[in-house]
């Protein structure tokens, strides 16, 4: 989290009424100092247990290398403006897309990180309503991980993503969902999608969910969804005048994403060097490095 320097020790003091949602930077060492001071005011030893648990949890997280991205280096300034400019690409300078890779984030806080990013996007849109509009499209890959069916209201990430899907357009925030299993998505969020790009789906349950979200005139295309080839899709909704079947342009090999599946039938015949493979894999596994 951002830390303040001596010249900013009174940052936020000019605000008459601060709330827990006000994004004011502070030093984590100040927090632990306050916790220790409050522990000293407690008369009975048993009453200090909650403070000790909180303090030990903070120290444990600071020492965990997986959370090094939060505590590496001492930031001595209010970096919120530069951070927002970088995340939202304001200005874009010809590179208007930010890709936030959360694959290296510890799995137990991945949903929290996504929830914070989504809430920051929504709050920025709300508090900038009187400014010249700069619409933002928030695209969520593997969306069924964050807003699964039946749990939209039970998690922080589900609540904020659901709110963006339902209310975001009023504030200039659009939401894009990417998933291989639409049936695993929260139904209320899927129904808010104005434009649907459906690629090949073989599962009857997935097809039923897409059928329910499609406009009435496009449902005849569903018969062709199981037979779509690679790079083909059905597009319907607000983004197109009429439902259409589209073939995407092919990309050069060097520009394609690393999403190709290994050919088992070929690779099973490739033998040799397994000891070295295991050794290198274990080393990276233990060091938590790619």
């Amino acid at each position: 989290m951002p830390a303040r320097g001596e010249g900013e020790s009174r940052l936020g003091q000019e605000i008459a009424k601060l709330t827990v949602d006000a994004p004011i930077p502070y030093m984590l060492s100040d927090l632990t100092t306050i916790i220790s001071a409050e522990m000293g005011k407690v008369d009975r030893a048993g009453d200090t247990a909650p403070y000790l648990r909180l303090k030990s949890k903070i120290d444990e997280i600071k020492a965990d290398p997986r959370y090094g991205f939060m505590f590496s280096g001492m930031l001595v300034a209010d970096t919120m403006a530069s951070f927002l400019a970088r995340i939202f690409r304001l200005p874009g300078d010809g590179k208007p897309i930010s890709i936030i890779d959360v694959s290296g984030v510890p799995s137990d806080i991945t949903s929290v990180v996504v929830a914070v990013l989504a809430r920051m996007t929504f709050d920025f849109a709300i508090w900038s309503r009187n400014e010249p509009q700069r619409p933002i499209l928030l695209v969520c890959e593997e969306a069924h991980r964050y807003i699964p069916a039946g749990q939209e209201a039970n998690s922080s990430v589900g609540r904020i993503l659901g709110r963006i899907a339902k209310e975001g357009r009023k504030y200039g925030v659009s939401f894009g969902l990417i998933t291989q299993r639409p049936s695993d998505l929260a139904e209320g969020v899927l129904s808010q999608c104005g434009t649907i790009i459906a690629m090949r789906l073989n599962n009857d349950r997935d097809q039923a969910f897409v059928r329910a979200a499609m406009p009435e005139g496009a449902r005849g295309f569903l018969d062709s969804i199981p037979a779509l080839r690679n790079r083909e899709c059905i597009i319907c909704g607000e983004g197109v005048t009429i439902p259409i079947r589209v073939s995407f342009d092919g990309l050069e090999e060097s520009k394609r994403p690393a999403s190709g599946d290994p050919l088992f039938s070929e690779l099973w015949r490739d033998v040799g060097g397994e000891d070295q493979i295991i050794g290198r894999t274990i080393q990276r596994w233990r060091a938590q490095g790619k």
Side-chain angles (χ1 to χ4, degrees), residues 58-105:
I58 293 174
D59 294 337
E60 177 187 335
I61 291 176
K62 288 176 67 176
D64 193 332
R66 297 181 302 167
Y67 299 93
F69 69 95
M70 293 174 61
F71 306 109
S72 57
M74 285 297 294
L75 304 176
V76 292
D78 181 5
T79 59
M80 187 171 181
S82 60
F83 178 76
L84 291 178
R86 181 182 178 187
I87 291 294
F88 297 139
R89 300 295 185 181
L90 299 171
D93 293 330
K95 297 180 179 179
I97 299 175
S98 291
I99 300 176
I100 303 174
D101 183 5
V102 296
S103 61
V105 176

Side-chain angles (χ1 to χ4, degrees), residues 1 9 17 20 26 32 96 107 114 132 144 146 151 161-162 177-178 180 194 196 211 222 231 237 247 250 279 282:
M1 61 184 64
S9 58
K17 293 183 179 180
V20 293
Y26 62 92
T32 53
S107 57
V114 175
H144 53 269
Y146 309 115
Q151 299 184 21
L161 291 180
L177 298 171
I178 301 177
Q180 291 81 30
I196 295 177
R211 178 183 289 107
L222 279 170
R231 303 195 309 275
S247 177
I282 291 176

Side-chain angles (χ1 to χ4, degrees), residues 28-29 31-33 35-36 51-65 67 71:
L28 202 60
S29 57
L31 176 60
T32 53
T33 301
I35 292 174
S36 299
Y51 296 97
L52 286 171
R53 282 198 300 268
L54 182 59
K55 193 170 183 295
S56 62
K57 185 64 176 179
I58 293 174
D59 294 337
E60 177 187 335
I61 291 176
K62 288 176 67 176
D64 193 332
Y67 299 93
F71 306 109

Side-chain angles (χ1 to χ4, degrees), residues 101-112 114 140-149 151 155 157-158 161 177-181 184-186:
D101 183 5
V102 296
S103 61
V105 176
S107 57
D108 53 339
I109 65 165
T110 301
S111 294
V112 177
V114 175
C140 187
E141 169 73 302
E142 302 289 352
H144 53 269
R145 290 179 56 189
Y146 309 115
I147 37 179
Q151 299 184 21
S155 65
V157 65
L161 291 180
L177 298 171
I178 301 177
T179 179
Q180 291 81 30
R181 293 301 307 271
D184 291 341
L185 277 176

Side-chain angles (χ1 to χ4, degrees), residues 117-180:
L117 289 169
R119 183 177 177 182
M120 180 183 66
T121 303
F122 192 66
D123 287 348
F124 178 81
I126 290 177
W127 293 109
S128 64
R129 289 189 72 180
N130 295 327
E131 303 293 335
Q133 283 198 331
R134 300 291 185 269
I136 297 172
L137 170 61
L138 181 64
V139 180
C140 187
E141 169 73 302
E142 302 289 352
H144 53 269
R145 290 179 56 189
Y146 309 115
I147 37 179
Q151 299 184 21
E152 178 188 343
N154 299 331
S155 65
S156 58
V157 65
R159 286 193 297 270
I160 184 59
L161 291 180
R163 188 178 180 191
I164 290 176
K166 296 168 186 174
E167 306 175 24
R169 286 186 294 274
K170 295 186 294 185
Y171 305 105
V173 181
S174 295
F175 191 32
L177 298 171
I178 301 177
T179 179
Q180 291 81 30

Side-chain angles (χ1 to χ4, degrees), residues 263-281:
L263 295 175
F264 284 39
S265 58
E266 293 183 7
L267 296 179
W268 273 335
R269 294 196 295 267
D270 188 7
V271 297
E274 283 80 9
D275 294 340
Q276 291 78 11
I277 292 174
I278 292 176
R280 290 191 297 267
T281 300

